[in-house]
Amino acid sequence: PHLRDPGVLHQIGRHPAGTLVIWRRGHEVVSRPLGPDEGPWLRALGRGETFGALCRRAARSSSDAEATRKVASYLHRWVADGLLITHS
């Protein structure tokens, strides 16, 4: 998977509520706070890091079960938000 719009990474910034990601869904501008690892992981994807590399990164800092849960949760959220696309 790849970020739909790598420019969205320029919109990741600090906010009193935490770190936010801001993107467009059609003509609507949407935002939401990011989880603790999510900002760095999205930036890494934007730099071309593979999803497999993100999984290995998660496994280094958590138990296997926790890493799997965290990665699956973020992947589900990114797809639901429309942040990821596939390239053929």
Side-chain angles (χ1 to χ4, degrees):
H2 298 278
L3 287 174
R4 175 175 297 282
D5 177 8
V8 74
L9 298 177
H10 298 293
Q11 299 299 320
I12 295 175
R14 297 298 298 162
H15 184 271
T19 302
L20 300 176
V21 63
I22 303 165
W23 72 100
R24 289 188 173 275
R25 187 177 295 141
H27 295 290
E28 178 187 12
V29 175
V30 292
S31 66
R32 67 171 178 79
L34 296 176
D37 298 316
E38 199 173 1
W41 289 11
L42 282 173
R43 285 186 192 95
L45 281 176
R47 289 189 308 268
E49 192 168 316
T50 66
F51 189 73
L54 292 181
C55 292
R56 287 188 294 278
R57 181 187 298 196
R60 285 193 303 266
S61 63
S62 303
S63 69
D64 287 347
E66 177 62 18
T68 300
R69 185 205 61 76
K70 189 183 301 185
V71 168
S73 174
Y74 286 152
L75 178 60
H76 179 267
R77 183 71 184 257
W78 297 338
V79 170
D81 286 346
L83 294 176
L84 297 180
I85 58 170
T86 58
H87 288 284
S88 359

